[in-house]
Amino acid sequence: MCSLSYKDISINEYVSGCLLCNDAPCRKACPKSLEADSIIRSLRFENKAGAVNKLLSPLPCITCDTKECMEACLKGKINESVPIDKIMKAISAEPKVKEVDVDLSIDFCGLHTENPFFLSSSVVGSNYEMVAKSFDLGWAGVAFKTIGMFVPKEVSPRFTALSKENLPFIGFKNIEQISDHTLKENIQFLKQLKKDYPSKIIVASIMGQNEEEWTKLAQLMTNAGADIIECNFSCPHMSGNGLGSDVGQSPKLVALYTKATRKGTHLPILAKMTPNIGNMEISAIAAMEAGATGIAAINTIKSIMNLNLASFKSEPNVEGKTSVGGYSGKAVKPIALRFIHDMKNCKELKDAPISGMGGIETWRDAAEFLALGCENLQVTTAVMQYGYRIIEDLIDGMKLYLSSQGYKNIAEVVGKALPSIIPADKLNRDSICYPRFDRKKCVGCGRCYLSCFDGGHQAIKIDEATNKPILKVDKCVGCQLCSVVCPAKAITPGKRINKK
């Protein structure tokens, strides 16, 4: 495990306070035209190498005394301006990374895509203007917002977010339904997009209410110029029987509607799976056996969020009422990865193409989905929070990561992590990995002691002279809880020894 330095911890804290402004005033204020906003955004999205590569040489911040950028920083209207000078100076000592030519193009469901990054079926891809803007910025494709034969009535408001401590946004809930445009309008959007962007991939997400509608929608989307049909079997809050996740929980309905869709198209078909189920493989197998080409996973998770303990109302608050909605965002990534792993380890599904989604914000998130076997990636919640511009660091960060590891093509990392995830009974249970304390980095806060005593095995005591931890080896079981909670990153996994 790589331990963060104090400098890295400080940088992360500094950049997390940035508002990530549109048309950022800090950049406009810099007399040397340093792209401070873009650099900070790259750091925020874990693309440190990309941030360093954007620095000017020599760095103007070293000799700048005016601090015009920080005076212009809008964060200062809330509390304190982002310390732009400290951020730039902190990363200026890092060597610039030479980007070797890396091919991000990849084949998916028989189609060649310029990169694996697609918008997922949602409000972020729901009309011509929006999708065209995303394509211009570098997104390779879109799963257009789910199209049906009807236009639903929407509620207001329909979004809310989950926060924790000083983090304003760790999860997201929506109670939005399928496209609020007419069928005719949606068909025209698809036709125009394909005409104007012939090299981009158009995935038409559809949802029917019976076999006839699934077949008809598939025919219409095929004629409109779609490249792939995605069957939405998984929306968790559609207001109608037989819709959304009610379908995905039933292998019989999945098979029935996949067959009906196949009757209407020769195009590749993705079955979009619900996570509101114990074993996704069962419905996924039913879809593949019924004619699907691949799987899309995961859709949002059924949720209730933000109960007000004064009024006992929940959010989104629609005249004092709400409903179960879909939970998404970074917090669902581990759940998405688990489902994808399970499908890739299922003999009936191991060769099925998977479009992965659920909590992808950074290139690192994306690489994790690829490493577990996905060949395509879809993003919504991060775009809703930060905008289409995140594609810049998704692409740049991915290229720099691949080139730094000696890869020439993004396809080389697909499935690389699968062999390292094994059944629990196959793990080595005959050895212990003890924690290693870095006493120079330790600040003496005692968090490791508290967690170990109250939530572990009472294997840490505090040295009264230094206020720093001492390991009681005879009690330590090597759980590494202490390394997880240490805010100074002064505890790392140490030597592994066989149990006596």
Side-chain angles (χ1 to χ4, degrees):
M1 182 185 294
C2 179
S3 178
L4 290 174
S5 67
Y6 283 159
K7 182 179 74 173
D8 290 324
I9 294 171
S10 297
I11 291 172
N12 289 341
E13 291 179 353
Y14 293 152
V15 301
S16 67
C18 178
L19 302 181
L20 299 178
C21 301
N22 176 51
D23 196 22
C26 62
R27 181 193 290 214
K28 292 179 178 180
C30 178
K32 300 295 184 180
S33 302
L34 180 69
E35 298 178 4
D37 60 325
S38 180
I39 293 169
I40 291 173
R41 193 166 72 242
S42 291
L43 290 169
R44 180 82 157 260
F45 293 113
E46 302 184 87
N47 182 19
K48 185 177 182 180
V52 172
N53 284 353
K54 295 174 186 175
L55 289 174
L56 298 178
S57 185
L59 183 67
C61 305
I62 294 176
T63 57
C64 178
D65 295 321
T66 63
K67 303 292 187 294
E68 293 178 49
C69 58
M70 285 182 282
E71 290 177 4
C73 177
L74 298 180
K75 180 74 185 308
K77 294 185 176 183
I78 300 173
N79 41 50
E80 295 181 354
S81 298
V82 175
I84 298 172
D85 58 340
K86 291 182 180 180
I87 294 170
M88 301 305 154
K89 290 174 184 177
I91 65 172
S92 64
E94 301 283 340
K96 292 197 174 186
V97 179
K98 182 180 179 181
E99 181 185 319
V100 180
D101 187 33
V102 176
D103 184 7
L104 292 191
S105 68
I106 189 169
D107 293 334
F108 178 67
C109 289
L111 298 169
H112 193 66
T113 67
E114 64 186 82
N115 63 59
F117 302 116
F118 284 26
L119 300 174
S120 56
S121 177
S122 65
V123 67
V124 303
S126 55
N127 62 42
Y128 175 87
E129 182 182 12
M130 297 175 76
V131 177
K133 178 184 177 183
S134 75
F135 284 170
D136 290 338
L137 289 174
W139 293 87
V142 60
F144 202 81
K145 188 169 184 182
T146 302
I147 299 169
M149 291 291 193
F150 64 98
V151 177
K153 285 185 176 181
E154 287 290 7
V155 297
S156 174
R158 46 187 180 268
F159 303 128
T160 191
L162 184 69
S163 60
K164 181 183 184 295
E165 297 167 355
N166 66 331
L167 301 174
F169 192 110
I170 62 171
F172 185 77
K173 176 187 172 184
N174 83 88
I175 53 174
E176 187 163 278
Q177 301 190 80
I178 66 171
S179 175
D180 56 1
H181 292 288
T182 66
L183 180 59
K184 182 178 179 180
E185 288 173 328
N186 282 321
I187 289 173
Q188 186 55 43
F189 291 149
L190 298 186
K191 286 182 176 179
Q192 195 65 44
L193 284 167
K194 199 61 193 176
K195 178 182 177 182
D196 295 345
Y197 299 91
S199 66
K200 303 290 185 177
I201 304 300
I202 309 293
V203 182
S205 176
I206 61 173
M207 182 186 291
Q209 298 180 86
N210 52 53
E211 291 176 81
E212 291 74 21
E213 285 195 5
W214 284 100
T215 300
K216 183 63 176 177
L217 285 167
Q219 291 171 340
L220 291 170
M221 299 306 108
T222 302
N223 293 336
D227 299 291
I228 298 174
I229 305 295
E230 183 179 86
C231 297
N232 186 345
F233 296 145
S234 47
C235 180
H237 43 257
M238 286 300 298
S239 57
N241 292 327
L243 294 171
S245 60
D246 291 337
V247 175
Q249 293 170 1
S250 168
K252 183 178 179 180
L253 284 177
V254 167
L256 182 68
Y257 292 152
T258 301
K259 287 180 181 178
T261 302
R262 176 52 69 204
K263 284 174 61 178
T265 187
H266 65 281
L267 298 175
I269 295 174
L270 292 178
K272 189 169 183 179
M273 296 288 100
T274 177
N276 302 299
I277 193 170
N279 296 304
M280 190 176 287
E281 309 96 284
I282 297 173
S283 290
I285 291 170
M288 295 299 292
E289 290 179 346
T293 313
I295 302 298
I298 62 173
N299 207 327
T300 54
I301 301 167
K302 288 188 174 183
S303 64
I304 294 173
M305 191 182 293
N306 297 343
L307 282 168
N308 183 315
L309 296 181
S311 65
F312 297 101
K313 312 298 183 186
S314 182
E315 295 179 348
N317 187 325
V318 184
E319 294 186 319
K321 308 292 182 182
T322 194
S323 65
V324 170
Y327 187 52
S328 63
K330 190 88 162 188
V332 310
K333 185 179 74 168
I335 300 167
L337 293 176
R338 190 276 285 187
F339 278 117
I340 288 163
H341 162 268
D342 289 354
M343 288 190 287
K344 277 297 177 181
N345 276 276
C346 174
K347 64 180 181 179
E348 294 90 346
L349 298 170
K350 63 183 181 66
D351 296 322
I354 295 183
S355 179
M357 70 199 84
I360 298 174
E361 287 188 0
T362 72
W363 68 266
R364 187 180 297 276
D365 300 325
E368 291 183 31
F369 278 79
L370 293 168
L372 282 176
C374 295
E375 297 160 313
N376 179 258
L377 307 167
Q378 296 188 31
V379 182
T380 277
T381 305
V383 172
M384 295 180 76
Q385 190 177 5
Y386 302 112
Y388 297 128
R389 59 187 176 168
I390 65 171
I391 191 63
E392 297 172 13
D393 285 299
L394 286 171
I395 289 175
D396 187 48
M398 184 66 74
K399 283 184 175 180
L400 290 168
Y401 157 69
L402 293 171
S403 62
S404 71
Q405 300 300 308
Y407 296 111
K408 300 296 184 183
N409 190 296
I410 196 170
E412 294 180 60
V413 302
V414 173
K416 293 282 280 188
L418 289 171
S420 67
I421 302 173
I422 60 177
D425 61 351
K426 303 296 183 183
L427 294 171
N428 179 358
R429 298 178 183 274
D430 297 319
S431 63
I432 293 177
C433 178
Y434 289 106
R436 178 189 290 118
F437 298 151
D438 185 334
R439 300 192 179 282
K440 290 183 179 179
K441 290 182 68 175
C442 176
V443 297
C445 68
R447 285 282 303 279
C448 58
Y449 164 76
L450 288 171
S451 290
C452 184
F453 197 99
D454 296 356
H457 294 80
Q458 301 79 54
I460 293 176
K461 64 180 180 179
I462 298 297
D463 185 333
E464 293 183 2
T466 64
N467 207 40
K468 294 188 177 183
I470 297 174
L471 185 68
K472 295 193 279 187
V473 178
D474 60 324
K475 287 195 171 186
C476 181
V477 300
C479 70
Q480 299 294 330
L481 174 62
C482 55
S483 65
V484 171
V485 302
C486 177
K489 305 301 179 187
I491 307 175
T492 55
K495 186 177 181 180
R496 177 177 291 277
I497 65 171
N498 291 327
K499 295 179 180 178
K500 294 179 181 179

